[in-house]
Amino acid sequence: MKHDVIVALDFPSAQEVYGFLDQFREEKPFVKIGMELFYAEGPEIVRQIKARGHQIFLDLKLHDIPNTVKSAMRVLSRLDVDMVNLHAAGTIDMMKAALEGLTRPDGTRPMLLAVTQLTSTSEERMQRELLISATMPETVRKYAQNAREAGLDGVVCSPLEAAMVHEACGADFATVTPGIRFADSAADDQRRVMTPEKARLGGSDYIVVGRPITRAEDPVAAYRRCVREFIG
Ligand code: C5P
């Protein structure tokens, strides 16, 4: 399994993204484009960042009826991104349809990941509001197994869940984990955080890092530190 640091480009406009990326002269970080940037700038931002030579995780978390997700994934497959995702709650049928839509005529496709339960959802709310009576670890494990059964490549999960996901779904099933902080940096609004080194030891294959890099005084130095701590 490949390991990499994915930088979350949580900026409101293309101008700010380019200002950030222009600071990287030697390396081309793997980047994540989320809803805010995609909805503000449209698919053109993906093409532009791809043309600069970055690998891209397009984090749009699709969740709809299987046919709609399949058609949407077909459109996304033409954007030449490297990773996309959806909600495992959409069912195995929806995940299978997504894979079909994502597969290009030449048989290639981006990696497809599932969100199990959002880390912002507490076990208490999941049980009381969503009427899921299982525990959070049981739910994450089952949703990951559903994603595996549908043929997906991995899940987005907490670094605290990565080892359990690998144990349930195999070492080759990717774990992509946000919620990463350096030992000496602020947690911001993340509740349960892990350092890059601990995430690696805990079984994370890719870590998603936003503010510790984007808001650092020297983002390039922070990115390099992250790579050093995660990959060695
Ligand atoms: O700034 P920070 O490192 O907290 O950014 C983490 C990134 O990962 C953000 O883009 C956030 O939306 C995303 N994310 C997360 N927790 C999840 C899923 C995605 O923090 N469970």
Side-chain angles (χ1 to χ4, degrees), residues 8 10 32 119 178 181 190 208-212:
D10 293 322
K32 179 171 88 68
T119 47
R181 290 296 178 269
Q190 296 282 17
V208 175
V209 188
R211 287 160 290 182

Side-chain angles (χ1 to χ4, degrees), residues 5-11 13-33 37 44-56 209 213-214 219-220 223-224:
V5 173
I6 303 177
V7 182
L9 296 178
D10 293 322
F11 296 102
S13 72
Q15 206 186 343
E16 282 169 78
V17 169
Y18 298 142
F20 172 75
L21 292 179
D22 284 345
Q23 298 173 71
F24 291 84
R25 301 191 181 272
E26 282 168 36
E27 48 271 280
K28 294 277 180 199
F30 199 135
V31 297
K32 179 171 88 68
I33 297 177
L37 190 58
E44 192 50 29
I45 186 80
V46 176
R47 294 189 193 99
Q48 293 291 334
I49 292 175
K50 197 73 201 173
R52 285 168 167 248
H54 297 271
Q55 286 185 274
I56 297 175
V209 188
I213 294 175
T214 56
V220 177
Y223 172 74
R224 286 181 183 156

Side-chain angles (χ1 to χ4, degrees), residues 185-198:
S185 68
D188 302 309
D189 57 349
Q190 296 282 17
R191 297 220 177 109
R192 299 182 303 155
V193 297
M194 246 193 213
T195 63
E197 190 188 4
K198 288 209 173 111

